[in-house]
Amino acid sequence: MSNLLKSYIKQKHREYRKKRKERIFKGNIVHCTICNSEYREFAPFGKKKRKNAKCHNCGSLERHRLVWEYIQDRKLINKPMRLLHFAPEKVFYDIFSEMPEIDYFPCDLHPNIYDYNGKTKVRKADITNIPFPNDHFDFIMCNHVLEHIPEDALAMSELYRVMKPNGMGIFQVPIDHNLDTTYEDFSITSPKARLKAFGRCDHVRWYGKDYKDRLKKAGFEVTEDHFVDSFTEEDQFKYGFDTTELIYLCKKTV
């Protein structure tokens, strides 16, 4: 079977599953802030089957919808700019790649894993050695990446280096708010042990409340924004937001 035929079959299967889910979850109780679709509820997601999590249409999760609503509310991307995006999520890739005012640079250490409808153009880049000059990007998106990087301090310093003066970025990570100090143990190397210690087999740490301080040490001015608290409980459910997620807006001030 040719690769073209395989791709066609996969696409048709995705379209069938999508239409089936739309019939099952038809309604107008929840609303996706990214694709504006409405359903009875969002799909459960993850090993623990988080409720009201994944959009049936665009596939966005709680953190994606919250970050996008924050970007829109704060008008962070509303002018021509050069945007660096590490580990580009499809929901954001689809938006940024279609915005003519954005000079978009989606990057990953393993670009070949990305195939968004056969048209994805992701560049190869190591976040601990970013292949771009100093003061190059107006905005940087780096969501749920740093918890995979053993040398996260080096990665943060590289993000600071390539950000333009007065530039900014959103750097989200999973955080255990019960931890005052980030927990990491590099003697833990097996996937099974990392799953037990850090919640995922490919994570190398659990960030704690000191995450903001780690970003500041790299040079950033950091706003730890409780943006989700500006919504009522009803709207938090309606938009499928994670009520524990804080927004980390990082600026390179002159």
Side-chain angles (χ1 to χ4, degrees):
M1 186 182 296
S2 69
N3 290 334
L4 185 61
L5 181 57
K6 287 180 180 178
S7 179
Y8 175 79
I9 292 174
K10 287 181 180 179
Q11 178 64 24
K12 288 299 180 182
H13 182 61
R14 283 195 294 265
E15 290 175 358
Y16 167 77
R17 290 182 61 189
K18 178 180 171 181
K19 290 180 179 179
R20 182 173 180 272
K21 287 180 180 180
E22 287 177 345
R23 290 196 301 270
I24 294 173
F25 291 95
K26 185 177 181 180
N28 59 358
I29 296 176
V30 299
H31 177 94
C32 178
T33 61
I34 295 179
C35 68
N36 293 318
S37 298
E38 293 187 333
Y39 301 99
R40 175 168 53 83
E41 64 179 341
F42 293 120
F45 183 79
K47 290 186 177 181
K48 295 184 179 180
K49 295 296 181 183
R50 302 192 308 270
K51 294 182 178 181
N52 203 41
K54 186 175 182 179
C55 177
H56 305 286
N57 180 46
C58 69
S60 65
L61 299 175
E62 306 98 322
R63 63 178 182 266
H64 302 136
R65 293 188 292 273
L66 183 66
V67 165
W68 182 242
E69 185 67 17
Y70 185 79
I71 289 173
Q72 297 290 93
D73 184 79
R74 299 293 194 268
K75 297 179 173 60
L76 300 181
I77 301 176
N78 64 348
K79 61 182 180 181
M81 62 172 55
R82 188 179 290 137
L83 192 156
L84 175 64
H85 188 184
F86 269 98
E89 307 95 326
K90 185 178 187 302
V91 289
F92 292 135
Y93 179 93
D94 288 346
I95 294 172
F96 297 142
S97 62
E98 297 297 326
M99 295 177 70
E101 66 271 29
I102 288 181
D103 192 7
Y104 183 44
F105 292 80
C107 295
D108 195 274
L109 185 61
H110 305 288
N112 293 333
I113 67 174
Y114 295 90
D115 181 17
Y116 298 150
N117 300 324
K119 66 177 183 179
T120 316
K121 296 180 180 180
V122 177
R123 304 182 184 210
K124 183 170 184 175
D126 182 346
I127 197 171
T128 63
N129 186 21
I130 301 176
F132 294 104
N134 297 348
D135 306 332
H136 196 63
F137 292 99
D138 301 281
F139 198 92
I140 302 176
M141 290 277 284
C142 182
N143 296 326
H144 287 243
V145 175
L146 294 171
E147 67 273 15
H148 300 266
I149 311 299
E151 296 180 296
D152 68 330
L154 180 56
M156 291 174 186
S157 68
E158 278 290 278
L159 292 169
Y160 184 84
R161 178 183 65 80
V162 299
M163 184 181 288
K164 285 184 179 181
N166 296 319
M168 62 184 67
I170 293 178
F171 305 151
Q172 300 297 103
V173 295
I175 294 179
D176 184 343
H177 295 284
N178 294 315
L179 292 176
D180 290 326
T181 304
T182 294
Y183 169 57
E184 52 191 0
D185 182 348
F186 296 112
S187 69
I188 301 173
T189 57
S190 74
K192 184 176 181 180
R194 284 181 172 175
L195 175 64
K196 183 178 179 180
F198 310 122
R200 286 280 299 273
C201 62
D202 55 350
H203 289 189
V204 297
R205 66 179 57 82
W206 261 118
Y207 283 104
K209 296 176 183 177
D210 63 336
Y211 176 58
K212 178 180 179 180
D213 297 327
R214 292 165 79 103
L215 291 167
K216 290 172 68 175
K217 191 174 181 179
F220 292 107
E221 176 187 316
V222 184
T223 300
E224 189 179 57
D225 201 318
H226 294 249
F227 178 64
V228 71
D229 292 340
S230 65
F231 295 86
T232 64
E233 288 186 13
E234 290 78 9
D235 281 344
Q236 288 171 353
F237 179 85
K238 176 181 178 180
Y239 301 129
F241 292 155
D242 180 350
T243 58
T244 67
E245 183 96 355
L246 307 181
I247 301 292
Y248 287 86
L249 181 67
C250 299
K251 298 181 181 180
K252 183 175 180 178
T253 56
V254 179

